Amino acid sequence: MEASVGSPVRSAGPRRAASVPIYVVARISPWSRPATVAPVNRHHRSLAGFACLTFALASAACTASGGSAPGPAGGPGRPVIVVGSFDFPESVTLAYLYADALAGRGYPVRVLPGLGPRELVDPALMAGLIQLVPEYTGSALEFVSLGRVQATANVAATAEALATMMAGRGLILGRPAAAQDGNAIVVTAATAARYRLGTISSLAAVASRLVFGGPPECPERAYCLPGLRLTYGLRFRQFVALDADGPLTRQALAVGDVSVALLFTTDPAIAAQHLVMLTDNRDLQPAENVVPVLRRATADRYGPGLLAALDAVSARLSTAALAGLDAEVELGNLDPRAVARQWLRAEGLAAP
């Protein structure tokens, strides 16, 4: 969203830091993309959650779903393809993008948005309760490999390793999109100008004078403070525990309570607030390309046209395009399904 901070485990609250404001975390982002391997003491909670999810999916299968994408009804030999999503807006939008593209080609599709974190969605996919989910290559690889296979910044190698892992689970990948949603180290335009910052390595000369803000888990996550220290030699004056790409982090950065922060690359606030995303010039962050993950049995049932429809979406989806969709949903408060359909029409991928 993994060793990555991209997906922090929920926490009771932020750590206190001296000489900077103390933020009360009212809500930790439910961002599921960057999921770490769940700790042992969360295992039973995940099983209970999966049981509830199973019941919810079974109930949805027996009723008409308001979130269904249009398309022919499922019937004998043509079961409905259920597209699930994680419980954050971007994942919901991606689910509608892929689902509506399939529906436009006549496939029977239903969307079940906001099902939960990867710890719940992955078992649902494995059990056949859903057949398709939009994923992120680096986070998915570290999750399904239980951390044994480390994602890298190499897009092709990360996708290939993920495809190999998924094949053993009866799952296949569509084409990875150019769009990525990974960790971003961000400063304000004023800070970038003051210290002449353009890359993460350019922080080395001034990090000891700056305060870094991010998720509470940042000091323990390999792609956050430990990685910044080992890969770039950065030791900040102070760390402030805030939230995961949420309003607390954005506010603290805007008012100057932190000078450097961790956000996600498709966060619409980066463009809206004219923030500067520092270039990861030593490839600390892994590739996090959007990719549809599909049950092999479903792909075999419907033939190559199904993957072709999914790949057509991925072929046109850039990071800038995804950030634009996120802005419409999160800043414009538009319905993810409507935003997805409008984009598909503009790209010539919607039903005639």
Side-chain angles (χ1 to χ4, degrees), residues 27-45:
R27 178 181 62 85
I28 293 296
S29 169
W31 203 273
S32 316
R33 169 187 58 76
T36 59
V37 177
V40 174
N41 61 4
R42 291 184 49 174
H43 180 65
H44 295 297
R45 285 201 312 182

Side-chain angles (χ1 to χ4, degrees), residues 184-187 211-214 242 249-250 252-253 258-263:
I185 305 303
V186 175
V187 298
V211 176
F212 184 89
L242 298 167
T249 302
R250 299 186 198 106
L253 191 62
V258 301
S259 302
V260 189
L262 183 139
L263 296 177

